[in-house]
Amino acid sequence: MPKLQRKKEEGNNGSPAWMVTFSDLMTLLLVFFVLLYSFSVMDIEKFEGFMSAFQAQLGVLDGGKTINDESLVARGNIAQRFNPSLQNFNKVMGEMSTYIEQEGLNDRVEMELTERGLVVRLTGQVLYDVGKAELKVGGKNLLDEIAKLLKDIPNDIMVEGHTDNWPINNEDFPSNWELSTTRATNVVRYFMENTEIEPSRLMAAGYSEYRPLFENDTVEHRAKNRRIEIVILNTLHNTDLEGR
């Protein structure tokens, strides 16, 4: 048999050309459906973490809770498989919101999620009289309720004192620095002496008039600026502090 005829016959023994294209198409379809199946398998832990992270972008909530647009999960793989502090924050916010509603404290107690953690902001005269640093009876009751929610979670707690820009100069407080710092340390001391919060978790700081929420241009704004902020630090921020 001539060589040309032999090669032609051998070529006829292979698969038709359309089979190559068909095989590629089937492979692509298989990969596509495997991918769809992988999407359909729900990881509950990841889903709950995603929802917690998503809630940090929703805006203002009822019951004295506010959430700003700072990202609580701002680092790594959505805060390294979702910051465990979010679970603690959601618990505190839910129970604290109920207490705020029951006691009618919506205009004096606010909660805000920030990159540092959950901020419980006590404004107006809920804790102190103007120019004073002694805790009021009603303020102590409020701190007792807050302590019940914080004693069983591991997060560190920073208590921060703030004033308006109205100058003060008396025997007890030569300036707003002393007033803001004394107010913060009095809250820490109350937590240490009257609640079950571990003292090693507590810190205090005073910022005087220099971190206002509003311009000190009205009575209402001054009252908002005179505040104590109890910051339940998220775990990532705790790690940053320990590394310094």
Side-chain angles (χ1 to χ4, degrees):
M1 180 183 294
K3 291 184 178 180
L4 180 62
Q5 181 67 23
R6 187 182 305 115
K7 290 182 179 180
K8 185 175 182 179
E9 290 178 357
E10 291 174 355
N12 291 337
N13 293 333
S15 301
W18 63 269
M19 285 294 293
V20 176
T21 301
F22 181 79
S23 299
D24 290 343
L25 178 60
M26 292 298 101
T27 302
L28 290 174
L29 285 174
L30 175 62
V31 171
F32 175 73
F33 284 111
V34 169
L35 187 62
L36 286 180
Y37 175 77
S38 68
F39 286 161
S40 69
V41 178
M42 179 63 70
D43 186 322
I44 300 301
E45 181 182 355
K46 289 184 178 180
F47 178 76
E48 292 177 349
F50 169 78
M51 291 305 298
S52 297
F54 180 72
Q55 289 171 358
Q57 305 294 330
L58 293 181
V60 179
L61 301 179
D62 296 331
K65 295 190 291 183
T66 62
I67 300 180
N68 72 1
D69 59 356
E70 292 183 271
S71 175
L72 185 62
V73 274
R75 308 183 185 111
N77 179 22
I78 308 186
Q80 301 171 1
R81 282 191 64 80
F82 307 111
N83 190 342
S85 290
L86 287 172
Q87 298 292 335
N88 298 330
F89 296 162
N90 288 337
K91 178 178 183 295
V92 172
M93 291 177 73
E95 297 184 18
M96 192 66 194
S97 180
T98 300
Y99 178 78
I100 291 171
E101 292 285 349
Q102 292 175 347
E103 299 298 321
L105 296 173
N106 298 68
D107 60 334
R108 296 190 175 189
V109 182
E110 299 175 351
M111 287 180 287
E112 181 182 12
L113 277 176
T114 71
E115 185 176 356
R116 289 195 303 157
L118 174 61
V119 179
V120 180
R121 183 174 294 123
L122 313 178
T123 61
Q125 300 178 33
V126 66
L127 291 183
Y128 308 103
D129 290 324
V130 177
K132 305 293 184 180
E134 294 182 3
L135 287 166
K136 300 164 67 173
V137 174
K140 293 178 180 179
N141 294 336
L142 177 57
L143 293 179
D144 288 338
E145 293 299 321
I146 294 175
K148 291 178 184 177
L149 302 177
L150 303 184
K151 66 183 181 66
D152 292 327
I153 64 176
N155 305 63
D156 288 341
I157 301 166
M158 172 74 79
V159 180
E160 301 174 346
H162 301 266
T163 69
D164 60 21
N165 67 346
W166 196 265
I168 185 173
N169 186 357
N170 56 39
E171 294 180 357
D172 297 322
F173 309 110
S175 72
N176 282 324
W177 283 110
E178 286 82 5
L179 177 60
S180 65
T181 303
T182 302
R183 286 178 168 177
T185 54
N186 281 352
V187 171
V188 168
R189 182 181 296 112
Y190 185 83
F191 280 151
M192 291 175 58
E193 297 177 352
N194 299 278
T195 74
E196 299 180 27
I197 297 177
E198 176 61 40
S200 62
R201 296 169 51 203
L202 296 167
M203 296 170 279
Y207 294 108
S208 186
E209 64 199 67
Y210 297 104
R211 296 192 181 184
L213 296 174
F214 304 94
E215 293 292 333
N216 288 288
D217 52 0
T218 67
V219 173
E220 292 77 12
H221 285 174
R222 289 182 184 278
K224 289 287 187 179
N225 289 333
R226 295 191 300 268
R227 68 196 189 277
I228 286 290
E229 293 186 347
I230 300 173
V231 186
I232 301 95
L233 300 172
N234 72 54
T235 53
L236 291 178
H237 191 76
N238 289 355
T239 302
D240 291 343
L241 289 176
E242 292 171 359
R244 292 178 183 175

